[in-house]
């Protein structure tokens, strides 16, 4: 299956923003409108998920054993659809996106308001803290620095397009050492170990003042 998207289609998808609607502009400053980022591994952009177009692809990724071990969303398409629609039908505090690298969808991101998320009960959240969840869909993209490059790019996109956000946060499972390592290499710092309802997490933070340093 050819997963490449034409530049014209990517532009249309980004402009449309699918189901994120006006609430997205209020809470996450219009993720769909964020410009592409040039990274060491190619040109990257976030394209908001559309269930009718992307469900099969995201479901396949969720059923990869390496992904399922930490996301815990393996199963039929209905499981993935429920997870996506909970965000798309919400108030815009979390936006599920395809990560498109050189016109090929190859990763899945969730950009979310950490200060409005249950996570905020477990750390000293600041207004407009913005969180990142990430999975790499293809085995070939793992273990060679792609995750680090994309995490750095997405954190930069958040800080560039969300002027009220002073830091980007993440909470990977402590057992997921490749993920924790990727965040560290992308300029995040380990802030604390956090006991969340479903995991022991490493609270990772990238601060705006270090945007052009790390």
């Amino acid at each position: 299956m050819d997963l490449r998207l034409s530049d014209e289609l990517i532009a249309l998808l980004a402009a449309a923003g699918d189901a994120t609607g006006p609430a997205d502009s209020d809470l996450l400053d219009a993720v769909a409108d964020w410009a592409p980022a040039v990274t060491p591994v190619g040109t990257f952009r976030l394209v908001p998920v559309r269930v009718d177009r992307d469900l099969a692809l995201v479901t396949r990724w969720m059923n990869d054993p390496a992904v399922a071990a930490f996301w815990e969303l393996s199963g039929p398409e209905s499981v993935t659809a429920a997870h996506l629609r909970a965000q798309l039908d919400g108030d815009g505090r979390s936006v599920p996106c395809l990560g498109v690298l050189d016109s090929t969808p190859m990763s899945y991101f969730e950009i979310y308001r950490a200060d409005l998320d249950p996570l905020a009960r477990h750390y000293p959240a600041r207004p407009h803290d913005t969180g990142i969840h990430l999975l790499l869909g293809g085995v070939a993209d793992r273990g060679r620095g792609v995750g680090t490059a994309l995490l750095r790019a997405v954190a930069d996109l958040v800080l560039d397009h969300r002027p009220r956000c002073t830091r980007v946060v993440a909470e990977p499972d402590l057992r997921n050492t490749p993920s924790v390592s990727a965040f560290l290499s992308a300029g995040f710092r380990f802030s604390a170990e956090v006991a969340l309802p479903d995991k022991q997490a490493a609270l990772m933070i990238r601060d705006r003042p270090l945007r052009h340093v790390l």
Side-chain angles (χ1 to χ4, degrees), residues 123-198:
Y123 83 105
R126 298 177 185 171
H128 297 283
D129 276 358
T130 304
I132 295 175
H133 295 144
L134 160 70
L135 70 83
L136 294 179
V139 175
D141 289 322
R142 300 172 193 164
R144 60 186 188 91
V146 174
T148 292
L150 299 190
L151 285 171
R152 181 181 294 276
V154 172
D156 287 347
L157 286 171
V158 170
L159 295 173
D160 288 345
H161 292 87
R162 302 209 65 237
R164 294 169 294 178
C165 172
T166 62
R167 57 190 188 169
V168 183
V169 306
E171 22 77 29
D173 193 306
L174 270 174
R175 300 170 298 161
N176 193 349
T177 51
S179 179
V180 174
S181 177
F183 277 103
L184 289 171
S185 298
F188 287 73
R189 59 183 172 84
F190 174 80
S191 177
E193 181 176 334
V194 181
L196 301 180
D198 58 344

Side-chain angles (χ1 to χ4, degrees), residues 11-99:
L12 287 171
L13 293 173
D18 184 45
T20 52
D24 176 54
S25 297
D26 293 337
L27 294 180
L28 280 165
D29 298 302
V31 174
D33 295 336
W34 294 1
V38 177
T39 80
V41 295
T43 300
F44 175 83
R45 77 175 306 145
L46 294 168
V47 176
V49 164
R50 201 176 75 201
V51 173
D52 64 336
R53 181 193 65 221
D54 305 321
L55 180 58
L57 178 61
V58 179
T59 298
R60 175 157 58 84
W61 291 342
M62 290 297 184
N63 279 279
D64 182 311
V67 172
F70 298 105
W71 281 75
E72 299 181 345
L73 286 170
S74 60
E77 288 187 353
S78 59
V79 174
T80 304
H83 180 74
L84 296 174
R85 289 193 174 107
Q87 298 172 80
L88 295 171
D89 295 341
D91 62 3
R93 70 183 59 195
S94 182
V95 179
C97 296
L98 293 182

Side-chain angles (χ1 to χ4, degrees), residues 188-210:
F188 287 73
R189 59 183 172 84
F190 174 80
S191 177
E193 181 176 334
V194 181
L196 301 180
D198 58 344
K199 64 184 177 183
Q200 286 293 120
L203 180 66
M204 312 298 295
I205 295 177
R206 187 164 183 213
D207 301 285
R208 178 179 289 281
L210 302 180

